[in-house]
Amino acid sequence: MSKKARGAPPPFVLWREVLTSYAMPAVMAGLGGAFTRQPQLIAAALTTIGGTSALVAAALGTLLRRRPARTRAPRTPRVLAAALLGLVAAALGLAAGLAGAHWLPQLPALADSPWPGRLPVDLPVSSAIAATVVTWRWRGSRTPSRIPTPEGQPA
């Protein structure tokens, strides 16, 4: 394993991002459910909240890592890129949550369950947070000043 150069940004390690994206929302929502005595929130923390965050982090992190290397610094500011991907993820999460809330209660096993009703809130919030954090950290692991230009000189 190579050592990080002094002053270099931390490396982007996908499995750490996925693990953190699952654990942090699950712990925070689980503690909130425990303190407010809401067993549904504790169950949702371990399933829809943490699971959605981990899934979004894995998918987005994989997409970002597979992007071809750029020869010049990105033009979009880091905060704008993170906010835009967070909004896109929230919109996709909302669409999935609304669809699930509509169709899942039609299954006999879930007809009386409050779980599908939580999806329009849990999925977009978890998706937005995970996408924003992963994008922020991925962009932070790239240093614009060290991206080589086509001539091999720093930008």
Side-chain angles (χ1 to χ4, degrees):
M1 189 151 118
S2 64
K3 285 195 164 194
K4 179 179 85 156
R6 177 169 251 172
F12 183 83
V13 181
L14 185 58
W15 69 267
R16 285 188 216 152
E17 299 300 328
V18 173
L19 183 63
T20 303
S21 292
Y22 177 80
M24 291 302 110
V27 167
M28 294 305 294
L31 286 174
F35 287 138
T36 59
R37 295 189 177 119
Q38 296 179 25
Q40 300 94 355
L41 183 56
I42 296 170
L46 300 173
T47 55
T48 57
I49 295 171
T52 301
S53 293
L55 182 67
V56 169
L60 183 59
T62 301
L63 285 173
L64 291 173
R65 285 181 61 194
R66 293 185 188 267
R67 291 184 65 193
R70 294 192 168 210
T71 58
R72 57 186 166 84
R75 293 183 188 176
T76 308
R78 183 178 180 187
V79 68
L80 184 59
L84 286 175
L85 282 175
L87 287 173
V88 168
L92 293 174
L94 180 62
L98 289 173
H102 177 72
W103 283 305
L104 287 176
Q106 295 175 6
L107 297 173
L110 296 173
D112 296 329
S113 174
W115 175 70
R118 295 189 55 87
L119 294 179
V121 174
D122 290 350
L123 297 187
V125 171
S126 298
S127 298
I129 293 170
T132 302
V133 170
V134 167
T135 304
W136 183 267
R137 291 179 51 89
W138 181 78
R139 285 291 293 269
S141 70
R142 307 288 179 256
T143 55
S145 62
R146 293 194 179 112
I147 296 175
T149 60
E151 296 84 30
Q153 301 296 322

